[in-house]
Amino acid sequence: MSIIFIKNNKGGVGKSWLTLQLAHATSLLNKDINININNKVLIVTTDSQNNILDFAGLDIEIGAGLESWIYKGDGDLIRLRNNLEYIPLGNSNFTPTFKNKIKSTLYSLKENYDYIFIDAVPVAGLDKEFEEIADKIIIPAFMDVVTLQGINKFLDDVNIKKVKAIIPNRLNNTAYENKLLNEFKEVLNGTTILVTDPIPQTALISNLIAKNKTVWESSSKKIEPIQEVLGSVLELIVNEK
Ligand SMILES: Nc1ncnc2c1ncn2[C@@H]1O[C@H](COP(=O)(O)OP(=O)(O)OP(=O)(O)O)[C@@H](O)[C@H]1O
Ligand SMILES: [Mg+2]
C-alpha cells in the first residue's frame, strides 16, 4: 500500500488532471497478477478548489470534507468510478490540530485502500505534512525556466528518494521547450528519477476533459502515446517498492 503525492508549487501544470488519470489507471489494475480483484484507490486533496470533481464530471456540493475525517473520523466519500473514491477538502485552513492528526487519519484510511493519491495545492510548504507522509512523489512540470527553477528548489528541500518521476506536461513542442527538456534530462541523468516523454498541450485532452472522460475511457488511437507516457509512471507507482 502506498501514498502517492502529486506536487508542484507551480499552478496549472496538470497536478489535478494527472492525479485523476494515474489514480483511475491504478484502480483498473488487479491487486496482483494472481488475484482477480482490482486495486481500491482513494484520492484526497490539499486544494479546496476540488478540481478532481470537475475532471471526473461530478457536480457535487461539498459537505464534510477531509477536515471532518480529521476531527471526527468520518465525512464525505465520493465515488468517482468503480474502486475509485474521493475525499474533498472544504477549506485550506490547516490548523495545528489538522496538521497533527493528518498522519493518523491517512494511516487509518489506508487500511481500506491499496493506494492513496494526494492532489496537491500549488503553494510551497502548505502541504508539507502530506509530503512527509507520502511514499512516492510525482512532479508534473512545464518546460520553462521559472518552473524548472522551482523544481530544482523543491528537489533540494525534499527527501529525494521519494521522487519517482517528472512529467513534462502541456508542451507546445517549441524548440525552446525541447532544449530545456533535454538539458533537464541531462541534469537528472544518473539519478533514479524518470523524466517521461512529454505530454503535449492538445485539444485531444481538452475534448476528453470537456466530456468528463479520463484517457482510459477513450478508444481513440491518438490517445495511445499519452496512455504510454502515463503507463511508464504507473509502473513506478505499482511495481517499484
Ligand atoms: N496536456 C494537456 N492538454 C490540454 N489541457 C490540459 C493538459 N493538461 C492539463 N490541461 C488543462 O490545464 C488546466 C490545468 O490543469 P490542472 O487543473 O490539472 O492543473 P493543476 O496543476 O492542478 O492546477 P492548480 O495549480 O490550479 O491546482 C486544466 O484546465 C486542464 O484541463
Ligand atoms: Mg489542481
Side-chain angles (χ1 to χ4, degrees), residues 43-201:
I43 302 176
V44 301
T45 183
T46 65
D47 190 345
S48 58
Q49 295 183 96
N50 291 297
N51 291 139
I52 294 286
L53 290 174
D54 304 321
F55 295 132
L58 293 167
D59 185 8
I60 287 180
E61 186 102 7
I62 290 151
L66 185 58
E67 311 82 318
S68 173
W69 283 94
I70 286 179
Y71 298 121
K72 298 183 191 150
D74 187 5
D76 287 0
L77 193 59
I78 300 168
R79 183 185 168 281
L80 301 178
R81 297 291 190 270
N82 280 337
N83 298 304
L84 181 59
E85 293 175 332
Y86 179 62
I87 293 182
L89 184 70
N91 70 67
S92 309
N93 177 21
F94 298 147
T95 62
T97 316
F98 184 104
K99 289 183 176 180
N100 280 336
K101 292 183 80 177
I102 185 65
K103 221 176 224 170
S104 58
T105 304
L106 285 189
Y107 281 140
S108 66
L109 282 165
K110 212 167 133 172
E111 288 166 20
N112 296 321
Y113 296 93
D114 300 297
Y115 293 88
I116 298 179
F117 285 76
I118 305 170
D119 169 38
V121 70
V123 181
L126 186 67
D127 45 17
K128 190 76 185 167
E129 283 76 14
F130 292 80
E131 176 192 307
E132 283 165 5
I133 302 164
D135 302 298
K136 299 180 182 180
I137 299 173
I138 311 285
I139 306 176
F142 294 139
M143 281 302 128
D144 65 38
V145 169
V146 174
T147 306
L148 291 179
Q149 277 171 352
I151 293 177
N152 284 330
K153 179 151 193 330
F154 181 78
L155 293 178
D156 283 343
D157 295 342
V158 76
N159 176 351
I160 196 91
K161 279 191 231 136
K162 291 186 180 181
V163 180
K164 298 299 169 191
I166 294 175
I167 310 176
N169 186 28
R170 307 187 67 187
L171 265 67
N172 293 302
N173 197 21
T174 63
Y176 179 64
E177 281 176 335
N178 290 331
K179 176 175 166 279
L180 284 180
L181 177 56
N182 285 331
E183 285 172 9
F184 193 58
K185 276 186 171 167
E186 198 83 347
V187 171
L188 290 178
N189 196 5
T191 72
T192 56
I193 304 173
L194 169 75
V195 181
T196 72
D197 287 340
I199 299 179
Q201 169 72 36

Side-chain angles (χ1 to χ4, degrees), residues 2 136 161 164 192 234-241:
S2 340
K136 299 180 182 180
K161 279 191 231 136
K164 298 299 169 191
T192 56
L234 208 57
E235 268 180 43
L236 300 175
I237 291 173
V238 300
N239 293 337
E240 198 199 293
K241 286 291 159 239

